[in-house]
Amino acid sequence: MSSLSRELVFLILQFLDEEKFKETVHKLEQESGFFFNMKYFEDEVHNGNWDEVEKYLSGFTKVDDNRYSMKIFFEIRKQKYLEALDKHDRPKAVDILVKDLKVFSTFNEELFKEITQLLTLENFRENEQLSKYGDTKSARAIMLVELKKLIEANPLFRDKLQFPTLRNSRLRTLINQSLNWQHQLCKNPRPNPDIKTLFVDHSCGPPNGARAPSPVNNPLLGGIPKAGGFPPLGAHGPFQPTASPVPTPLAGWMSSPSSVPHPAVSAGAIALGGPSIPAALKHPRTPPTNAALDYPSADSEHVSKRTRPMGITDEVNLGVNMLPMSFPGQGHGHTSAAFKAPDDLPKTVARTLSQGSSPMSMDFHPIKQTLLLVGTNVGDIGLWEVGSRERLVQKTFKVWDLSKCSMPLQAALVKEPVVSVNRVIWSPDGSLFGVAYSRHIVQLYSYHGGEDMRQHLEIDAHVGGVNDISFSTPNKQLCVITCGDDKTIKVWDAATGVKRHTFEGHEAPVYSVCPHYKENIQFIFSTALDGKIKAWLYDNMGSRVDYDAPGRWCTTMAYSADGTRLFSCGTSKDGESFIVEWNESEGAVKRTYQGFHKRSLGVVQFDTTKNRYLAAGDDYSIKFWDMDTVQLLTAIDGDGGLQASPRIRFNKEGSLLAVSANENVIKVMANSDGLRLLHTFENISSESSKPAINSIAAAAAAAATSAGHADRSANVVSIQGMNGDSRNMVDVKPVITEESNDKSKIWKLTEVSEPSQCRSLRLPENLRVAKISRLIFTNSGNAILALASNAIHLLWKWQRNERNATGKATASLPPQQWQPASGILMTNDVAETNPEEAVPCFALSKNDSYVMSASGGKISLFNMMTFKTMATFMPPPPAATFLAFHPQDNNIIAIGMDDSTIQIYNVRVDEVKSKLKGHSKRITGLAFSNVLNVLVSSGADAQLCVWNTDGWEKQRSKVLPLPQGRPSTALSDTRVQFHQDQAHFLVVHETQLAIYETTKLECMKQWAVRESLAPITHATFSCDSQLVYASFMDATVCVFSSANLRLRCRINPSAYLPASLSNSNVHPLVIAAHPQEPNMFAVGLSDGGVHIFDPLESEGKWGVAPPAENGSASGAVTASSAGAPASDQPQR
């Protein structure tokens, strides 16, 4: 069950309790198993309703779940038995003995015999252990004290004893908000609507001329009743996005004092006598603490807290709960991601790769999502580009320098030359990867893109096999962590190979390591073949943890992508497998997942993805679980042929899953996003897709900016638009493979000078505006939205018909300028400013339902279906100058301001979470990378800044170097947009285009405008990032290959502007790329027009990529001119 469904159950429980449906409340508590009502349990025990007591317990635990549960049931049944004896009801006592207590005889036969002998006594108090048994009431009270402590200590109950903090009548409030929303959408809203049913959507009847009142002050369902039994302890309900409490790392795992002692309780053997209360548990529970947020300083208090605007509910959810936009005649929108369930799991076999030997370990590149690293049972290493099915590198095992190897290693290699790979893994930034072998050594390679893999370090790490390897960044220094058969864990400097730490304390070979960090504390979990779990800090103080893993043999541990949930997967020597979630703060198993084959054939491997799913290879299949549900979600066999316990590995986005199969084959499974990703990349040449990776010494420093461990995020790769869009990579058509560069042919720039040489269309204009300031295609690709300089928004939509079956944007058919039936316009607040002089900005939500926009006044939130203003906030000064939605949370917006600050604003709680200071002039560009977890900003000061999105600290900054002889005009805009790889970004300035690598903030490529030519007005990546479209002040539009920023096509003004305008000052101010068609783009003009462009169908693309210059490196800085003749394209 999803977390939202779980929260809905709590809302229903609160409603039932308020309405006094007492029996139904407790039935739902028991059936859902979400909340254990201790007060109700106590009452039933005091009243001796034993059948109801056990029935209620059955919703949360069974007798044989764990030792705590067993003792709970034993104490209850023992009390029931003694009460029957005390009443001299021997037939009932015998019935209880046979039906209820006999189950415990298998665990303690002597105890069962002693209980049976009580039947022979006239008074069971003659038994010495029961001599102090009083009356029934006092005996129940004493037992209840013990039961409560057992329940509190039982890991199956620990997250179920506290009812969430809710406002009174929370469900009724949400229904009111929904009805108010429906009432707002009425064509003719009445002032006092008569709501008679909830079974259908509300709709007002014929108009009576009155306007609807503010929904905030007019609850449609009437007054809210008083609170029931569940106390309203807090201000926010479960849908409110509050800061997640972060448990103190390892606190509950370590034997250290706790600020809150745990109730004393015995979880030991069940016994005949009264409940015993021994010393406190060895590992007390530790209360969680809230992570501190960096709140803005006092000078921003005027935007930090304010009342909601009239007509807006007190919670604006821009995330899961927003409905997709749907226009008449267009069919339904996309379903919310929260209801896709297993559809977003990679279940389709998209690729079958023949490795040549049996895969033992696999890992996807953390940035280039289709690059798969493989290690095999004979020591081979393979590197695959899954998209193109190309094996880029194949290396066989070889000791690089045998003379430096220890004598035990040399002897082992002579005795047994066959070496297996135990683990391969990429470093967090993908510039390194490590290989752990079954004989002593670890090898580190540096990766420079394509086939460029270089030897970096060879370490004689352990005596015997090296069982696992991982990367971590203690003290912001990239390190390699290894473990081996010699029972040790070792930490090595990744740049030099110097050993930093050796951890000793395991009594068996160490099987796996799991480094992590929390609250700035770096630590390592390790597991050994005797089933022991230990935890280490980077010091010499020994292990902080000594616990037994389920199965007590081969166990691996992993965190969810967001680092908040810890899981382990293990297989016992008998083949019994387990996946469990751990309660970190208490060092106890929180839940155990069900569905494994009774006897697994081999050691089961597992992986996590999307902060939601677990997967494991078992019984010739891949099994999936939802993290919040112990029952098996689904299982797939990958079209058959999988190994008994296949090796598995997700890519970072969770869209691809590599699975080992029989006959040395690797199957790559994909979901719909993965299929599109592979389809996009399969025809891209490996040369054009090579990432620019820096030297290893620099990479070690760069990794310090990463999050230490290569956690895999759950979010789909998105393209951050320069107009504030953040879109998922959906339905992107594959790029057309470019013809090979035959050196016998002379390359020529493609010039488009006549209307007949391309398809262009000026969109119809029902409403004239002075100029187009911002422009964006909707994410669905069937509409285009413009913001004019007079603060009015314009929307054009293509209809689905016989000539346009898809309803997508096209230059072949004109769209309609769309408005709702009410005829209202989306117009920004302009306050007292002149909108023509303001800096306009907008951002479109991922599902096209809402647009956030500003034109010098307040920021407005518009409904794209009704054009109604949903909210306004942040009145100037300062005014907003750029907007960008957070890629992982639509409720978080980065707002660039004209006072040079960046506000990180939570729409739902109407609060500024952070205020970033680093620029000296207004903010002109913002772009998120959800792979690197950074925000890149640019300003009118021509400065670039990189901010970490975890704590919003500034990581790096650099002033954009201006070309010599080409001074920039005052306050010239600088825009930024991420490449599809999410590691590089495009910088647009009136003097240049440039591609930067993010972690080092280094310029990889540059194209500079010559002094005598027109400046750049705007530029953007194509949807597949293979092209860059740029517009110029002289009305020229140029198309560049993004791989080297070389000009491939130039569209002259005469190709799209009429003769009457060709000599005027009309030119493009903004340019936008279609979200799915790589060769389609649109421009917004200074005369208020919008043109959309497509190449001729016979051409299918914009020109031909120029040949690479002889001797030029892939990362060389290049410069050329937009307006210069084709033959005059110098490169430097």
Side-chain angles (χ1 to χ4, degrees):
M1 181 177 287
S2 71
S3 59
L4 288 181
S5 298
R6 186 175 187 270
E7 290 175 354
L8 180 58
V9 172
F10 283 112
L11 296 180
I12 295 171
L13 285 172
Q14 183 197 42
F15 173 80
L16 293 173
D17 188 76
E18 289 171 347
E19 297 297 320
K20 310 301 181 185
F21 294 104
K22 294 299 183 183
E23 292 184 7
T24 310
V25 167
H26 303 312
K27 182 66 175 176
L28 181 55
E29 288 168 351
Q30 180 248 318
E31 287 192 340
S32 68
F34 290 158
F35 173 63
F36 185 86
N37 191 325
M38 188 68 82
K39 178 67 169 60
Y40 172 70
F41 180 77
E42 290 176 19
D43 291 341
E44 294 303 301
V45 170
H46 278 304
N47 295 330
N49 298 329
W50 303 120
D51 290 341
E52 176 58 26
V53 166
E54 289 208 21
K55 183 178 179 181
Y56 189 72
L57 276 172
S58 68
F60 304 88
T61 185
K62 300 187 292 294
V63 174
D64 57 354
D65 275 349
N66 56 42
R67 60 184 184 275
Y68 300 100
S69 298
M70 183 179 296
K71 193 167 185 185
I72 289 169
F73 280 97
F74 175 79
E75 292 294 341
I76 291 170
R77 295 174 182 182
K78 182 186 72 175
Q79 180 64 27
K80 182 166 62 170
Y81 177 69
L82 294 177
E83 288 183 19
L85 290 175
D86 207 25
K87 294 177 181 178
H88 301 288
D89 189 348
R90 296 189 182 279
K92 184 176 180 180
V94 171
D95 187 67
I96 294 169
L97 182 70
V98 174
K99 291 182 179 179
D100 296 334
L101 289 171
K102 194 168 192 318
V103 65
F104 301 103
S105 64
T106 57
F107 304 101
N108 192 331
E109 189 173 354
E110 290 300 317
L111 175 63
F112 182 74
K113 290 180 180 178
E114 191 173 0
I115 292 174
T116 304
Q117 289 174 0
L118 296 177
L119 289 168
T120 64
L121 302 177
E122 182 65 23
N123 187 338
F124 63 80
R125 293 174 182 82
E126 295 173 17
N127 184 292
E128 184 178 352
Q129 296 184 60
L130 298 172
S131 60
K132 295 182 179 181
Y133 186 96
D135 59 12
T136 297
K137 184 177 180 180
S138 62
R140 289 176 181 174
I142 293 171
M143 178 192 67
L144 190 57
V145 172
E146 176 72 354
L147 290 180
K148 289 173 66 176
K149 292 173 182 176
L150 285 166
I151 289 169
E152 290 171 358
N154 194 327
L156 296 176
F157 288 81
R158 284 179 191 155
D159 58 345
K160 301 175 181 179
L161 299 178
Q162 186 67 42
F163 198 87
T165 300
L166 300 177
R167 293 178 181 177
N168 292 349
S169 303
R170 178 67 183 144
L171 184 60
R172 189 180 292 268
T173 300
L174 288 175
I175 294 173
N176 264 318
Q177 292 172 354
S178 172
L179 291 172
N180 280 316
W181 170 252
Q182 294 172 29
H183 188 52
Q184 279 197 354
L185 295 182
C186 290
K187 292 183 178 179
N188 302 290
R190 293 181 175 182
N192 294 297
D194 185 14
I195 306 296
K196 296 182 178 179
T197 180
L198 298 178
F199 292 166
V200 296
D201 287 350
H202 161 69
S203 178
C204 286
N208 58 10
R211 293 291 299 167
S214 166
V216 172
N217 303 314
N218 181 42
L220 299 176
L221 282 183
I224 294 176
K226 293 181 180 180
F230 296 112
L233 298 178
H236 302 292
F239 289 82
Q240 201 80 2
T242 55
S244 300
V246 180
T248 304
L250 303 180
W253 297 69
M254 301 178 187
S255 302
S256 57
S258 170
S259 58
V260 182
H262 192 283
V265 57
S266 170
I270 53 180
L272 177 64
S276 59
I277 307 177
L281 292 178
K282 180 180 178 182
H283 300 289
R285 295 170 67 187
T286 304
T289 57
N290 286 324
L293 289 174
D294 181 20
Y295 285 97
S297 55
D299 63 343
S300 65
E301 287 181 355
H302 71 290
V303 292
S304 294
K305 292 279 187 181
R306 63 184 64 81
T307 57
R308 276 281 171 198
M310 291 292 287
I312 304 302
T313 58
D314 64 349
E315 291 181 25
V316 178
N317 183 356
L318 300 181
V320 174
N321 300 322
M322 289 203 308
L323 296 175
M325 183 170 99
S326 178
F327 293 105
Q330 246 207 296
H332 298 293
H334 300 294
T335 305
S336 170
F339 300 98
K340 284 185 178 179
D343 288 346
D344 54 351
L345 293 172
K347 298 182 292 184
T348 303
V349 177
R351 297 287 187 272
T352 301
L353 312 175
S354 180
Q355 175 59 40
S357 49
S358 181
M360 300 297 291
S361 177
M362 299 172 289
D363 197 24
F364 280 98
H365 194 277
I367 297 173
K368 192 168 188 325
Q369 300 288 299
T370 58
L371 203 62
L372 179 65
L373 181 66
V374 182
T376 78
N377 64 335
V378 296
D380 290 350
I381 303 168
L383 183 63
W384 292 85
E385 171 48 68
V386 176
S388 62
R389 301 177 176 85
E390 179 184 3
R391 179 156 53 191
L392 302 177
V393 178
Q394 173 79 354
K395 288 186 177 291
T396 57
F397 172 72
K398 175 185 176 183
V399 176
W400 298 346
D401 190 347
L402 193 59
S403 64
K404 293 183 179 180
C405 295
S406 64
M407 291 306 297
L409 172 57
Q410 294 185 40
L413 292 174
V414 170
K415 182 179 179 181
E416 183 59 59
V418 177
V419 173
S420 173
V421 172
N422 282 336
R423 182 75 186 274
V424 293
I425 190 169
W426 289 100
S427 65
D429 67 350
S431 63
L432 283 176
F433 67 83
V435 186
Y437 291 99
S438 61
R439 293 285 186 273
H440 294 246
I441 66 171
V442 164
Q443 291 179 342
L444 299 184
Y445 288 84
S446 61
Y447 181 63
H448 303 264
E451 302 173 5
D452 192 354
M453 179 191 298
R454 305 173 191 172
Q455 296 177 0
H456 173 57
L457 284 176
E458 185 175 62
I459 304 172
D460 192 345
H462 296 270
V463 177
V466 183
N467 295 321
D468 200 6
I469 182 172
S470 190
F471 288 92
S472 185
T473 54
N475 302 318
K476 296 186 177 182
Q477 184 176 19
L478 185 65
C479 289
V480 178
I481 302 167
T482 63
C483 64
D485 289 344
D486 57 5
K487 307 176 186 178
T488 65
I489 301 103
K490 297 181 182 181
V491 181
W492 314 83
D493 188 297
T496 64
V498 173
K499 184 166 63 178
R500 298 295 184 189
H501 300 279
T502 299
F503 301 128
E504 298 178 330
H506 276 292
E507 298 177 358
V510 185
Y511 182 73
S512 71
V513 288
C514 176
H516 195 56
Y517 76 100
K518 250 181 189 175
E519 297 178 0
N520 298 320
I521 298 177
Q522 300 264 358
F523 53 92
I524 306 167
F525 281 115
S526 61
T527 69
L529 291 183
D530 58 359
K532 292 294 183 183
I533 298 175
K534 295 182 182 290
W536 319 80
L537 300 180
Y538 291 86
D539 56 24
N540 297 314
M541 302 299 292
S543 171
R544 266 54 170 198
V545 162
D546 186 10
Y547 267 80
D548 290 326
R552 300 193 179 188
W553 195 42
C554 297
T555 299
T556 55
M557 305 184 80
Y559 277 88
S560 58
D562 58 10
T564 61
R565 302 175 70 172
L566 177 62
F567 303 89
S568 72
C569 176
T571 302
S572 71
K573 292 181 180 179
D574 297 328
E576 189 175 4
S577 294
F578 305 86
I579 291 183
V580 301
E581 181 179 4
W582 291 88
N583 188 325
E584 265 190 284
S585 63
E586 299 167 9
V589 172
K590 184 176 182 179
R591 55 170 58 87
T592 301
Y593 298 90
Q594 303 168 2
F596 280 109
H597 193 257
K598 290 185 178 180
R599 289 291 179 265
S600 299
L601 301 174
V603 176
V604 169
Q605 285 196 1
F606 87 124
D607 204 358
T608 72
T609 186
K610 293 180 178 289
N611 293 318
R612 181 177 177 185
Y613 297 118
L614 300 166
D618 177 55
D619 193 24
Y620 304 95
S621 64
I622 308 301
K623 296 180 177 179
F624 295 93
W625 292 264
D626 186 296
M627 290 180 177
D628 296 324
T629 306
V630 298
Q631 283 78 27
L632 186 67
L633 182 63
T634 188
I636 56 176
D637 64 1
D639 297 340
L642 299 186
Q643 295 176 338
S645 296
R647 271 72 174 169
I648 66 171
R649 192 67 162 173
F650 286 104
N651 70 344
K652 187 171 184 178
E653 305 302 337
S655 59
L656 300 177
L657 175 64
V659 183
S660 64
N662 296 326
E663 299 179 356
N664 305 326
V665 161
I666 300 168
K667 294 188 177 185
V668 179
M669 326 286 285
N671 61 13
S672 57
D673 291 322
L675 291 171
R676 283 188 284 266
L677 178 64
L678 296 177
H679 196 39
T680 300
F681 279 100
E682 64 184 346
N683 289 324
I684 300 175
S685 66
S686 60
E687 181 64 30
S688 66
S689 61
K690 284 184 183 178
I693 307 295
N694 300 293
S695 66
I696 184 58
T705 67
S706 302
H709 185 55
D711 288 336
R712 274 156 283 157
S713 168
N715 300 289
V716 179
V717 175
S718 62
I719 299 174
Q720 307 299 330
M722 293 190 172
N723 289 311
D725 61 323
S726 174
R727 63 177 95 253
N728 285 341
M729 256 188 351
V730 295
D731 299 330
V732 177
K733 290 193 175 180
V735 296
I736 298 172
T737 307
E738 300 186 8
E739 53 268 29
S740 61
N741 296 315
D742 189 343
K743 293 186 178 181
S744 63
K745 298 179 181 178
I746 300 176
W747 176 83
K748 184 179 180 181
L749 174 70
T750 300
E751 294 269 6
V752 177
S753 301
E754 300 293 333
S756 61
Q757 292 178 297
C758 70
R759 288 180 291 167
S760 71
L761 174 70
R762 184 174 177 116
L763 304 189
E765 302 165 23
N766 300 336
L767 181 68
R768 289 289 299 169
V769 294
K771 61 182 179 182
I772 302 298
S773 301
R774 294 291 179 264
L775 190 69
I776 189 174
F777 283 92
T778 59
N779 294 284
S780 61
N782 56 21
I784 194 165
L785 177 68
L787 173 59
S789 58
N790 62 354
I792 293 176
H793 297 77
L794 307 174
L795 180 67
W796 289 270
K797 185 189 75 67
W798 278 260
Q799 297 287 342
R800 182 182 286 111
N801 53 41
E802 293 180 0
R803 299 178 62 192
N804 185 6
T806 64
K808 300 292 186 183
T810 173
S812 302
L813 291 171
Q816 294 179 357
Q817 189 169 330
W818 194 87
Q819 279 184 277
S822 63
I824 65 173
L825 299 173
M826 285 192 291
T827 306
N828 280 334
D829 170 71
V830 295
E832 299 177 358
T833 62
N834 180 357
E836 299 286 342
E837 298 175 357
V839 179
C841 54
F842 67 10
L844 186 63
S845 66
K846 294 177 183 177
N847 57 9
D848 297 333
S849 295
Y850 292 82
V851 62
M852 197 84 66
S853 186
S855 295
K858 297 178 184 177
I859 300 173
S860 299
L861 173 66
F862 295 101
N863 183 305
M864 284 278 284
M865 186 167 57
T866 65
F867 281 17
K868 290 184 178 180
T869 304
M870 303 309 301
T872 58
F873 49 92
M874 284 201 173
T881 56
F882 204 93
L883 300 167
F885 281 106
H886 193 289
Q888 300 171 15
D889 187 350
N890 256 359
N891 295 297
I892 304 297
I893 307 171
I895 306 174
M897 314 297 280
D898 66 3
D899 68 350
S900 78
T901 64
I902 302 167
Q903 311 268 8
I904 306 302
Y905 177 71
N906 190 314
V907 178
R908 192 178 339 201
V909 298
D910 192 23
E911 183 175 288
V912 175
K913 291 295 187 183
S914 261
K915 186 174 180 180
L916 315 183
K917 297 180 179 179
H919 291 273
S920 60
K921 301 289 175 60
R922 70 165 184 255
I923 305 301
T924 59
L926 296 168
F928 283 97
S929 168
N930 61 331
V931 170
L932 299 178
N933 295 323
V934 297
L935 169 69
V936 173
S937 61
S938 58
D941 53 4
Q943 185 176 198
L944 306 173
C945 293
V946 180
W947 312 84
N948 185 291
T949 57
D950 293 329
W952 301 109
E953 304 93 354
K954 184 166 73 172
Q955 293 182 337
R956 281 175 178 73
S957 64
K958 179 174 288 188
V959 175
L960 188 69
L962 301 180
Q964 293 182 352
R966 187 68 190 252
S968 172
T969 57
L971 297 182
S972 176
D973 286 357
T974 305
R975 301 293 177 88
V976 289
Q977 180 189 18
F978 266 98
H979 188 281
Q980 193 179 57
D981 68 8
Q982 296 283 287
H984 299 80
F985 62 90
L986 173 68
V987 178
V988 181
H989 187 266
E990 65 175 17
T991 65
Q992 63 188 284
L993 303 174
I995 303 289
Y996 274 73
E997 190 275 331
T998 306
T999 57
K1000 302 294 182 305
L1001 208 53
E1002 289 183 355
C1003 181
M1004 310 307 296
K1005 306 170 188 69
Q1006 183 192 40
W1007 186 95
V1009 179
R1010 289 185 176 181
E1011 184 178 359
S1012 60
L1013 300 173
I1016 299 170
T1017 59
H1018 201 234
T1020 184
F1021 277 123
S1022 62
C1023 62
D1024 60 2
S1025 297
Q1026 299 305 301
L1027 303 175
V1028 174
Y1029 299 112
S1031 57
F1032 293 79
M1033 191 77 78
D1034 62 359
T1036 300
V1037 178
C1038 291
V1039 184
F1040 298 82
S1041 292
S1042 65
N1044 50 19
L1045 283 185
R1046 295 193 54 137
L1047 185 62
R1048 58 188 288 161
C1049 179
R1050 180 166 52 216
I1051 303 171
N1052 294 308
S1054 56
Y1056 68 97
L1057 292 179
S1060 59
L1061 297 178
S1062 59
N1063 295 322
S1064 68
N1065 195 30
V1066 175
H1067 61 274
L1069 294 175
V1070 63
I1071 193 163
H1074 192 277
Q1076 291 124 32
E1077 296 282 352
N1079 289 289
M1080 183 185 297
F1081 66 92
V1083 296
L1085 302 179
S1086 58
D1087 70 345
V1090 175
H1091 277 260
I1092 185 169
F1093 292 84
D1094 253 337
L1096 293 175
E1097 291 186 13
S1098 58
E1099 298 290 336
K1101 60 188 176 183
W1102 296 107
V1104 177
E1109 291 287 333
N1110 290 335
S1112 65
S1114 60
V1117 177
T1118 64
S1120 55
S1121 167
S1127 60
D1128 187 17
Q1129 297 292 323
Q1131 190 171 17
R1132 73 178 182 198

